[in-house]
């Protein structure tokens, strides 16, 4: 047992030394005068949990494997990404804790804050060739963190029922930022570690954002409610409705997650403005999308559940006079466990 313990200790120390050596070698943004950028045992253990647990819970089996293979060296070479990895893993730790707390821990707050500062510094400065993979990885994880962090434990504490906050719909704004980083990083280029996922993105994501006409009773109801038969080509609900309807026949899980996320990418900019203004029709469509994700991956399910519940309650309370609104709310209410 002692020999096994000694071996484990040596491996642990070797990994710690390897991480710190790599960080020192690649310190592009040193924290002058501070020693807090040293990689300690707690950080190493958290990185291990990311590699063996968290990264495997973020997408399809194939995307998880690609990120798992690439992330250790990328994180050790770029401080902003290392902090983002630490922040996301800390959020996951809290989610899995028996005493789940809606409030962020000091570990999450610290690492997320450092990640954002260093990431912004990098984006504001010179981006060197070969940094695209680290930039895209950081943007992708930041998108997950922004969706996963929700300081609410009841629907009354969640948007849109809670008092207005600067953080309202921040996860939605983050999706626009990811598009910008995508264009800078170009993770599908041949020299990127993510190039091997090009076919997956083409099949599961880009193809999914092409809206389909749809059919059936629900389309008819949404057509009337959203006035989709108006000859105007500027209807802000059109793309949302036609990208949402095909998703309602799918289960949201690892293999379909990219298709569900495509709903965000296909939102009309005016539709996003309507959400910020708490437009009831836009919120109804968002509630349908949330309702399909309530039992999905950990970083999605909590927000989807609470904000779906909050939207349903809000619409019933303040917009109960909209024709057929109560009937249209039956599906999301049932999915988010507000009714049997």
């Amino acid at each position: 047992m002692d020999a096994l313990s000694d071996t484990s200790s040596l491996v642990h120390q070797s990994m710690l030394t390897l991480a710190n050596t790599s960080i020192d070698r690649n310190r592009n943004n040193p924290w002058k005068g501070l020693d807090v950028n040293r990689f300690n045992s707690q950080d190493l253990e958290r990185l291990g949990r990311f590699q063996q647990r968290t990264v495997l819970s973020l997408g399809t089996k194939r995307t998880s494997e690609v990120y798992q293979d690439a992330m250790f060296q990328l994180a050790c070479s770029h401080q902003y990404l290392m902090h983002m990895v630490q922040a996301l893993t800390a959020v996951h730790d809290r989610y899995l804790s028996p005493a789940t707390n809606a409030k962020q821990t000091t570990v999450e707050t610290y690492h997320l804050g450092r990640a954002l500062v260093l990431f912004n510094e990098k984006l504001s400065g010179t981006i060197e060739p070969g940094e695209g993979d680290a930039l895209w990885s950081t943007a992708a994880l930041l998108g997950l963190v922004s969706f996963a962090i929700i300081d609410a434990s009841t629907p009354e504490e969640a948007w849109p029922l809670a008092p207005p906050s600067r953080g309202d719909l921040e996860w939605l704004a983050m999706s626009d930022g990811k598009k910008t980083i995508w264009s800078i990083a170009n993770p599908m280029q041949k020299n990127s570690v993510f190039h091997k996922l090009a076919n997956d993105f083409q099949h599961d994501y880009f193809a999914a954002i092409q809206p389909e006409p749809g059919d059936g009773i629900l389309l008819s109801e949404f057509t009337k409610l959203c006035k989709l038969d108006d000859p105007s080509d500027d209807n802000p609900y059109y793309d949302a409705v036609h990208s949402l309807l095909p998703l309602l026949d799918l289960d949201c899980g690892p293999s379909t997650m990219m298709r569900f996320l495509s709903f965000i990418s296909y939102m009309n900019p005016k539709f996003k403005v309507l959400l910020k203004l708490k437009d009831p029709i836009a919120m109804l469509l968002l509630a349908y999308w949330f309702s399909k994700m309530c039992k999905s991956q950990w970083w999605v399910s909590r927000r989807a559940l609470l904000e779906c519940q909050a939207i349903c309650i809000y619409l019933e309370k303040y917009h109960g006079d909209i024709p057929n609104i109560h009937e249209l709310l039956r599906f999301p209410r049932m999915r988010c466990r507000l009714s049997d």
Side-chain angles (χ1 to χ4, degrees), residues 102-135:
K103 304 301 180 183
Q104 295 181 60
T105 64
T106 54
V107 173
E108 293 172 45
T109 303
Y110 167 72
H111 283 294
L112 182 56
R114 291 308 306 166
L116 291 173
V117 168
L118 295 172
F119 194 41
N120 283 330
E121 285 181 2
K122 170 50 60 179
L123 294 175
S124 300
T126 302
I127 297 176
E128 302 293 339
E131 288 190 296
D133 286 344
L135 292 175

Side-chain angles (χ1 to χ4, degrees), residues 61-79:
K61 183 176 184 295
R62 179 157 171 76
T63 57
S64 296
E65 289 172 348
V66 171
Y67 275 85
Q68 186 182 45
D69 289 343
M71 201 60 70
F72 181 87
Q73 188 57 52
L74 283 173
C76 288
S77 301
H78 301 85
Q79 288 188 35

